[in-house]
């Protein structure tokens, strides 16, 4: 725990230094986030309403799933998604641990029995992530940045992997457009640190465009 606290203090200092050095970039990034999130919410609200009804009719439970995630500088926030799993999904993880296909502290299996019928569709199309537009509007997330991790996952990160906490977590990053299902955990973490090294406005815009191509089934963009 002490090591984790020390690492988080280091990330806070590094975040402050980078913000002071690249203030223009972060101002533009926030403008893009606010405009993008507002446009997304306005344009996609009919789609979100349709899937909210479908989720409610498909299985018992709330429409939205809220979960504590680790944000920038190690700060916790509630991340929102459309619910894609059964109500006792968290309790079933212990029984499914042996089937985990992801290396490292992450848990993921392709044929996850906890996923509902509508859940499978909204996961494949990333529609389940749409409520995170509100996280972006609130300033807890960005359109582009490393995916937010669970506290129990971050507790197992190495000092190198904790570097990703310097950035505000995002909807998309290198992992999403380079074939996320075929990438190991270590490669994923390396990509996030690579983003921290290379990020600028053009890189962010490029990743947004590539993500749109992936969502529309362009395998060449993955």
């Amino acid at each position: 725990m002490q090591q984790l606290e020390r690492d988080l203090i280091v990330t806070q200092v590094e975040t402050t230094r980078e913000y002071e050095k690249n203030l223009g970039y972060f101002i533009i990034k926030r403008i893009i986030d606010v405009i993008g999130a507002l446009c997304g919410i306005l344009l996609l609200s009919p789609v979100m309403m349709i899937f909210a009804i479908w989720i409610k009719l498909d299985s018992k439970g709330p429409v939205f799933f809220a979960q504590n995630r680790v944000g920038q500088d190690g700060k916790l926030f509630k991340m929102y998604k459309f619910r894609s799993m059964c109500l006792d999904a968290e309790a079933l993880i212990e029984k499914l641990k042996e089937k985990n296909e992801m290396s490292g502290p992450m848990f993921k299996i392709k044929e996850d029995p906890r996923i509902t019928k509508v859940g499978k569709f909204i996961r494949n199309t990333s529609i389940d992530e749409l409520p995170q537009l509100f996280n972006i509007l609130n300033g807890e997330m960005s359109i582009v940045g490393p995916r937010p991790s669970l506290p129990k996952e971050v507790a197992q990160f190495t000092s190198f992997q904790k570097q990703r906490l310097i950035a505000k977590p995002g909807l998309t990053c290198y992992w999403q457009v380079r074939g996320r299902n075929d990438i190991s955990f270590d490669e994923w973490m390396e990509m996030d640190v690579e983003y921290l090294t290379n990020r600028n406005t053009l890189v962010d815009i490029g990743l947004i465009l590539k993500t749109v191509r992936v969502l529309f089934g362009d395998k060449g963009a993955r």
Side-chain angles (χ1 to χ4, degrees):
M1 181 62 71
Q2 290 180 346
Q3 181 60 44
L4 177 59
E5 291 175 351
R6 284 196 294 269
D7 287 338
L8 292 179
I9 291 172
V10 171
T11 61
Q12 290 171 2
V13 172
E14 291 177 347
T15 302
T16 302
R17 288 175 179 171
E18 186 180 9
Y19 190 83
E20 292 173 348
K21 183 180 178 181
N22 302 301
L23 182 59
Y25 161 67
F26 290 110
I27 291 174
I28 294 172
K29 186 178 181 69
R30 182 58 186 155
I31 292 172
I32 292 173
D33 284 343
V34 172
I35 293 175
L38 283 173
C39 290
I41 291 168
L42 291 172
L43 292 173
L44 298 172
S45 56
V47 175
M48 289 194 277
M49 288 180 64
I50 290 171
F51 280 96
I53 295 170
W54 190 5
I55 290 166
K56 200 65 181 175
L57 294 175
D58 182 58
S59 61
K60 293 182 180 179
V63 170
F64 299 103
F65 175 71
Q67 190 177 49
N68 280 332
R69 294 293 177 110
V70 181
Q72 190 174 32
D73 298 333
K75 296 176 183 176
L76 292 180
F77 72 98
K78 287 283 186 184
M79 188 190 79
Y80 297 98
K81 300 177 74 170
F82 278 126
R83 181 176 60 83
S84 61
M85 291 188 174
C86 57
L87 281 177
D88 58 346
E90 293 295 314
L92 292 174
I93 287 182
E94 287 297 323
K95 296 180 180 179
L96 298 169
K97 269 188 175 180
E98 294 181 356
K99 297 181 180 180
N100 188 15
E101 298 171 4
M102 179 66 76
S103 57
M106 305 291 188
F107 178 82
K108 189 174 183 180
I109 52 178
K110 289 180 181 178
E111 299 299 326
D112 196 328
R114 301 173 300 160
I115 299 176
T116 62
K117 291 179 181 178
V118 63
K120 187 173 183 179
F121 179 81
I122 62 177
R123 277 172 165 251
N124 288 339
T125 55
S126 295
I127 288 172
D128 63 322
E129 311 285 1
L130 290 181
Q132 287 159 46
L133 290 170
F134 293 98
N135 287 120
I136 293 171
L137 205 57
N138 288 337
E140 298 157 334
M141 290 180 62
S142 178
I143 294 176
V144 182
R147 288 298 295 159
S149 300
L150 292 166
K152 63 182 179 182
E153 295 169 345
V154 173
Q156 299 178 60
F157 282 1
T158 64
S159 295
F160 173 80
Q161 293 163 353
K162 289 192 183 85
Q163 290 182 79
R164 67 202 297 273
L165 300 180
I166 293 172
K168 190 177 290 186
L171 275 176
T172 188
C173 204
Y174 288 139
W175 179 64
Q176 280 76 10
V177 300
R178 293 181 179 176
R180 58 187 180 182
N181 292 329
D182 302 316
I183 295 171
S184 69
F185 171 76
D186 288 335
E187 289 173 323
W188 176 4
M189 296 297 103
E190 288 170 4
M191 286 180 185
D192 285 343
V193 176
E194 178 188 347
Y195 169 71
L196 294 179
T197 304
N198 299 332
R199 61 178 173 166
N200 57 52
T201 303
L202 289 178
V203 168
D204 286 354
I205 293 173
L207 282 168
I208 292 171
L209 294 176
K210 286 181 180 179
T211 301
V212 172
R213 289 170 60 191
V214 168
L215 291 177
F216 282 94
D218 184 353
K219 294 182 180 181
R222 297 187 182 185

